[in-house]
Amino acid sequence: NAGVTQTPKFRVLKTGQSMTLLCAQDMNHEYMYWYRQDPGMGLRLIHYSVGEGTTAKGEVPDGYNVSRLKKQNFLLGLESAAPSQTSVYFCASSYVGQPPGTDTQYFGPGTRLTVL
Amino acid sequence: AQSVTQLGSHVSVSEGALVLLRCNYSSSVPPYLFWYVQYPNQGLQLLLKYTSAATLVKGINGFEAEFKKSETSFHLTKPSAHMSDAAEYFCAVTPIYNTDKLIFGTGTRLQVFP
């Protein structure tokens, strides 16, 4: 099992460009998440999905869009990149915990994005 | 809003010394609590979690944490630090208003000196 994979690993964009980050998991998990990690701020949730075809906003959703067309994939889009979106992006997935809220999240290796 | 506070963004210990990383949560109802570790240039992985079954929780690599309701704390400890423990550690909580997600603390970077 590959677990959670992220594509690409690194990317440099110019302000105003668009891109899509791809997250894939092979564990048949229902839930998937996108986080950004910035120094001194921990991980902040951008968007998440509780199942195929569903998405929901997290703490910092502005400037990002997501789609979950297939259960195993969760895409994060930046329509018009800004320097403030320079960050390390992590995808995670989890099963439905019993009781709810006790599930372990499994993380990908991250994508380092720089916006010039 | 429910949150966790990690005291100390950096902690340094000598190899073989006690490791103590602090986490306090804000909630009137005991939440579910987690510790994750991030090694350099990697994603996070679960160390241990508190799900109300036992207040002393043992995790991987010799780490453990004790849930103390009276102190609203969930501190992470390891009796004897190893060089390989150098990493960033994150405390996290499941909000009672939405069990679909985690709220992470700001992290504590642990340095281990020989």
Side-chain angles (χ1 to χ4, degrees):
Chain A
N1 286 352
V4 180
T5 57
Q6 293 183 232
T7 308
K9 289 186 170 50
F10 302 93
R11 187 72 186 268
V12 178
L13 289 178
K14 294 181 179 178
T15 297
Q17 288 185 318
S18 63
M19 77 164 294
T20 300
L21 306 183
L22 170 63
C23 175
Q25 53 95 4
D26 61 1
M27 296 174 281
N28 201 34
H29 285 166
E30 288 294 329
Y31 293 1
M32 296 188 74
Y33 308 84
W34 275 108
Y35 295 93
R36 59 178 290 172
Q37 183 178 27
D38 302 291
M41 304 190 75
L43 271 76
R44 292 181 292 168
L45 184 64
I46 304 171
H47 287 281
Y48 65 102
S49 168
V50 298
E52 182 178 318
T54 76
T55 62
K57 293 181 180 180
E59 299 172 72
V60 289
D62 294 342
Y64 305 94
N65 56 74
V66 289
S67 64
R68 183 109 181 261
L69 298 180
K70 294 182 179 181
K71 185 177 184 178
Q72 64 268 35
N73 295 338
F74 195 31
L75 279 62
L76 177 70
L78 287 72
E79 290 186 348
S80 179
S84 60
Q85 294 178 304
T86 293
S87 187
V88 181
Y89 291 85
F90 286 98
C91 176
S93 69
S94 71
Y95 50 86
V96 180
Q98 290 299 336
T102 62
D103 43 281
T104 298
Q105 292 192 13
Y106 295 83
F107 283 79
T111 295
R112 188 172 295 273
L113 174 66
T114 301
V115 183
L116 302 175
Chain B
Q2 203 151 13
S3 66
V4 288
T5 301
Q6 292 185 241
L7 296 175
S9 58
H10 289 83
V11 171
S12 298
V13 300
S14 298
E15 193 171 20
L18 171 72
V19 175
L20 171 61
L21 304 182
R22 300 177 187 273
C23 174
N24 288 87
Y25 65 90
S26 63
S27 173
S28 57
V29 175
Y32 301 130
L33 292 156
F34 303 76
W35 276 100
Y36 281 81
V37 60
Q38 183 181 29
Y39 298 105
N41 299 313
Q42 294 185 27
L44 281 70
Q45 63 183 85
L46 182 72
L47 265 181
L48 50 80
K49 58 182 171 182
Y50 168 74
T51 60
S52 75
T55 57
L56 182 62
V57 182
K58 294 188 183 299
I60 61 172
N61 301 335
F63 283 92
E64 62 182 38
E66 186 171 8
F67 174 76
K68 291 187 176 180
K69 183 179 177 181
S70 60
E71 299 177 7
T72 61
S73 69
F74 190 56
H75 301 331
L76 182 71
T77 61
K78 182 174 180 177
S80 176
H82 191 272
M83 296 294 289
S84 60
D85 294 326
E88 189 152 22
Y89 293 80
F90 293 93
C91 184
V93 63
T94 300
I96 57 172
Y97 58 86
N98 184 341
T99 56
D100 293 336
K101 59 184 183 180
L102 282 178
I103 304 296
F104 283 88
T106 53
T108 297
R109 184 167 297 280
L110 176 66
Q111 286 186 302
V112 182
F113 293 102

